Amino acid sequence: MAVYTEVSDEALRAFLAEYELGDLLAFRGIAEGVENSNYALRTAKGDFILTLYEKRVDPKELPYFLGLMDYLAFRGVPCPTPVEGRDGETLRSLCGRPAAICTFLEGVWPRRVRPEHLAPLGAALAKLHAAGAGFPEFRPNALGPKGWAPLLDGCRAGGDEVAPGLIAELDMHLAAILAAWPPASALPDGQIHADLFPDNVFFLPDAAGRPQVSGLIDFYFACTDLLAYDVAVCLNAWCFEPDGSFNVTKARALIGAYTAVRPLWPAERAALPVLCRGAAIRFLLTRLYDWTHTPPGALVTRKDPLEYLRKLRFFARATGPGDLGA
Ligand SMILES: Nc1ncnc2c1ncn2[C@@H]1O[C@H](COP(=O)(O)OP(=O)(O)O)[C@@H](O)[C@H]1O
Ligand SMILES: N[C@@H](CCOP(=O)(O)O)C(=O)O
């Protein structure tokens, strides 16, 4: 469920009067997503997405996110383009929330990831990294290594109720990850998506029926960080089977297509196992935090933190990048 703020017909029509999008023909709330309120709009000019930014998004950071999407879209990345109002602004206010309209992207995110999805994903990720190279803004990764200890501290009270011994195990993993984390200057950095999960990637079949990436959405965790960390996020989110096993064929397809566009440095390959452990603990911790702080019956769908404990344990056992398809 992700319509936290209800928008009336009248409020929306007044809001749309600020744009040159023609008459409103239809609009509906979108149930998917967890962070913001999203509406699908149809106007005389076509289909659009209206997003009202909810409390987890800091309004001060919206110019970075919208600016990055605009920059990437202009350079051929299939991501939403923020739509300017008559005054040239993309960010305004609706029902007391910051709000923006973006272009609608065709396609469907894969409910079941197949090996054929991984090569187009890898190529799209590398193109995103290449296209973002000249973007002048810097946004530190709030959910990067410096953010993990405070998140874990916030989970201490309820964490062991989710799984006995969980907090002690996470203390152990976190200390090992932070000790092995590559220094910022050791690997190339740039603008990363940082949450490129299957529900943020749309596909359409090409003429031969093979899936092609048609859209990358949800840039609200994007930041300036190690490029290979984005690969590690994708290895976590795309390369495990429902039974918990790691699918190295998928990983090889992802990394092979990525490197065909943007070759990984030897140091990036070598760092992949610890970057994967870092990505696993990042999603584990935010899920655990939400799990232990969301009252039962709240509108937000809580995601299973233990899925990422199993992934973290797998990556901690990896003997080198070869185990991860690199
Ligand atoms: N530009 C877009 N084009 C088409 N559908 C979109 C677009 N942006 C969002 N959506 C739809 O809204 C849903 C939630 O968007 P998302 O950005 O993931 O929300 P949240 O930030 O709340 O997690 C997506 O699964 C998709 O169905
Ligand atoms: N991908 C994260 C949760 C963020 O949700 P999104 O709907 O904004 O992509 C996770 O799986 O924990």
Side-chain angles (χ1 to χ4, degrees), residues 256-280:
Y258 182 93
T259 52
V261 177
R262 183 196 158 257
L264 284 173
W265 295 8
E268 291 182 289
R269 278 180 199 275
L272 268 183
V274 70
L275 297 179
C276 284
R277 282 150 66 202

Side-chain angles (χ1 to χ4, degrees), residues 33-35 195 197 199-200 218 221 283 287 303:
V34 293
E35 299 288 334
D195 185 32
F197 276 53
D199 61 349
N200 290 331
D218 202 357
F221 291 108
F283 290 102
R287 287 178 173 205
K303 298 192 177 189

